[in-house]
Amino acid sequence: MAEADWRSHRPAVFGAAYRILGSVAEAEDVTQEVWLRAAAADVSEVRDLRAWLVTLAARASYNVLKSARVRRESYVGPWLPEPLLTGPDVAAQVLVDESVSTAMLVLMESLTPAERVAFVLHDVFGFPFDRVAEVLGGTPAASRKLASRARARVAAVKERPRASKAETERLLKAFKAAADAGDMAELVELLHPDAVYLADGGGKATAARRPVQGAERIALLAVRQIEIRRPDAFRIIEVNGQPALATYSGGELVWLDTVEIAGGRITTLRRLVNPEKLTHIGHI
């Protein structure tokens, strides 16, 4: 296969693998595996090269996801997807839409591997159910049911109003400023009364192992973490199609915040502190 063809289809290959796996590192491994197989194959008879490559990626990702379920079930604390750098400044562009949002990937983690593959291939990439069945080793009718169940589960995320990038960035900066200043009143004002805080440390870094609910409890936790870690720099970056707050200490990225917003307030704050998931974001 010509390298030019591969470059044009690589975003779709990586995009399918990342949506199925929720891990940049695992998706990169799958993408490399697909490239090696494609480079050694005779593709002269392949009518739809993109579909063929995405099918290879889906099969490999399905196998990885099935083997990863045991590891993820024993994961320490809440699991958050590995953040995907997006935006105009990213060298390697990928296909970005609502299906790679952090909220969507968190919900998709609750699907079975087969449901996740069926949803990604049919609802995101538009594959017919006979092609989905080939990947899953079942029937088109069974694949249709899997996609339907997945679609019903993710509908709640799709129906939520989505804040603009400008509003998200504004609230992230305001939250950071209030936490740095120890301003509990301002933090409580920025948070919805029933806001939820989720932290992913994966047993590799100190983090709350259960969700924390309530504006006052989250505000107190945010202030204490600033006092303990004493970060000295931050920047707004784009991950999974939305602004995120990257916080640093001594040039090292110590956590990454993403939020959901409704009515001008933060309803969900997700803090990723697992260093293994932050590595590819980089330090300053």
Side-chain angles (χ1 to χ4, degrees):
M1 183 172 63
E3 286 195 28
D5 288 334
W6 169 249
R7 285 195 299 271
S8 68
H9 295 304
R10 187 186 188 283
V13 171
F14 177 86
Y18 178 71
R19 286 168 173 83
I20 293 171
L21 296 168
S23 165
V24 172
E26 290 175 340
E28 288 287 5
D29 289 343
V30 166
T31 302
Q32 180 66 15
E33 178 182 337
V34 171
W35 161 240
L36 292 174
R37 290 189 60 183
D42 178 4
V43 297
S44 60
E45 300 298 321
V46 176
R47 288 181 293 179
D48 187 339
L49 189 56
R50 179 180 183 272
W52 182 73
L53 290 168
V54 169
T55 299
L56 290 181
R59 284 195 182 113
S61 299
Y62 183 40
N63 291 333
V64 172
L65 189 58
K66 286 189 293 184
S67 65
R69 296 302 290 183
V70 174
R71 296 198 306 274
R72 293 191 182 182
E73 287 170 2
S74 61
Y75 195 80
V76 178
W79 179 94
L80 294 178
E82 191 173 345
L84 175 67
L85 281 170
T86 54
D89 299 327
V90 178
Q93 289 295 323
V94 297
L95 302 173
V96 177
D97 58 24
E98 188 179 36
S99 65
V100 296
S101 70
T102 301
M104 182 68 79
L105 291 173
V106 168
L107 189 146
M108 285 174 65
E109 184 66 12
S110 66
L111 305 179
T112 67
E115 288 171 343
R116 193 161 180 166
V117 171
F119 176 79
V120 170
L121 288 182
H122 181 266
D123 287 47
V124 179
F125 285 88
F127 276 34
F129 285 115
D130 56 349
R131 178 66 70 91
V132 178
E134 291 176 10
V135 174
L136 297 176
T139 65
S143 297
R144 185 185 298 275
K145 289 182 180 179
L146 289 167
S148 178
R149 286 203 298 264
R151 195 177 305 119
R153 297 284 296 277
V154 304
V157 173
K158 288 191 172 186
E159 291 169 0
R160 294 175 196 165
R162 197 173 186 184
S164 68
K165 291 183 180 181
E167 182 181 18
T168 301
E169 182 171 341
R170 179 185 67 79
L171 281 173
L172 283 169
K173 288 180 176 178
F175 186 89
K176 172 66 174 172
D180 284 348
D183 190 339
M184 287 286 295
E186 177 64 14
L187 285 170
V188 170
E189 183 64 26
L190 292 169
L191 291 158
H192 187 278
D194 297 321
V196 177
Y197 168 92
L198 298 168
D200 179 346
K204 310 291 183 180
T206 302
R209 297 193 176 189
R210 293 183 177 85
V212 177
Q213 187 164 9
E216 292 187 357
R217 294 179 66 196
I218 296 171
L220 180 60
L221 183 61
V223 171
R224 285 179 175 173
Q225 289 178 337
I226 292 292
E227 293 173 345
I228 293 170
R229 294 303 300 266
R230 301 206 174 275
D232 50 33
F234 79 96
R235 61 181 176 134
I236 298 293
I237 61 176
E238 184 179 306
V239 299
N240 300 84
Q242 284 291 310
L245 180 69
T247 301
Y248 303 84
S249 179
E252 178 184 357
L253 178 61
V254 291
W255 64 67
L256 183 74
D257 291 339
T258 57
V259 294
E260 289 182 51
I261 297 166
R265 286 182 159 185
I266 296 171
T267 57
T268 303
L269 172 63
R270 299 185 180 94
R271 177 160 292 178
L272 183 61
V273 295
N274 185 339
E276 293 181 352
K277 294 185 179 182
L278 295 174
T279 301
H280 69 284
I281 300 295
H283 304 309
I284 57 173

